[in-house]
Amino acid sequence: RKFVQVEETFAHCECYPDILKPTDELIEVNGKLILDPEEGKKFDVLQKTISKSKRPLRLTFIHGERRDEAFQEQEVRRELRACDRPDCTKSPLRGESEQCARIARTALETLKRAAAVGDGPE
């Protein structure tokens, strides 16, 4: 089954961080249900519908799988990118920031391994 999924959310959006998260799925545009948008030319039709619709649009999403984990992964990636910035090297907190990022990466990998073998938190 094909669908339109949220890839990333941003702090400047009013939906961040609770309403919309990565992996959430678009299911309706202005009350019209979306069925298999990738099928044939339906995705093109969906794009045209969105671009030509009057504003404001009413988009309806459902919660995606692992949305909270996907959100945390997104935030860890952002933290890692922030440490790569040149101005970050001048910060007295750089060491702590790098240590937090390492701890977050280790925790994320541990959770992934646990999920793969079914030993997740109860």
Side-chain angles (χ1 to χ4, degrees):
R1 172 175 165 307
K2 308 276 186 177
F3 51 91
V4 177
Q5 188 177 57
V6 174
E7 185 175 309
E8 188 172 11
T9 57
F10 298 92
H12 64 271
C13 176
E14 64 187 51
C15 297
Y16 178 94
D18 298 316
I19 297 172
L20 197 60
K21 293 185 178 184
T23 76
D24 287 354
E25 181 181 336
L26 178 65
I27 60 166
E28 284 184 353
V29 176
N30 289 334
K32 185 176 179 186
L33 190 63
I34 299 170
L35 300 173
D36 292 327
E38 295 283 337
E39 181 183 304
K41 294 186 178 185
K42 289 185 180 179
F43 188 73
D44 292 335
V45 171
L46 175 61
Q47 285 181 310
K48 287 178 185 173
T49 300
I50 291 172
S51 66
K52 293 181 179 182
S53 292
K54 291 182 181 180
R55 299 315 195 240
L57 285 174
R58 182 170 171 238
L59 303 175
T60 305
F61 293 84
I62 59 171
H63 289 180
E65 294 181 13
R66 298 183 53 254
R67 73 189 299 262
D68 292 323
E69 292 89 351
F71 178 78
Q72 290 304 320
E73 291 168 8
Q74 164 189 280
E75 298 303 297
V76 167
R77 281 191 309 273
R78 286 186 181 154
E79 176 66 24
L80 293 174
R81 284 194 307 254
C83 285
D84 289 338
R85 289 188 349 239
D87 61 335
C88 187
T89 60
K90 297 178 180 99
S91 169
L93 298 177
R94 179 171 170 85
E96 288 80 1
S97 194
E98 288 174 340
Q99 182 179 7
C100 288
R102 280 193 299 276
I103 291 168
R105 280 193 306 271
T106 302
L108 181 59
E109 290 304 315
T110 302
L111 286 171
K112 285 180 180 178
R113 284 193 299 274
V117 295
D119 291 336
E122 295 179 21

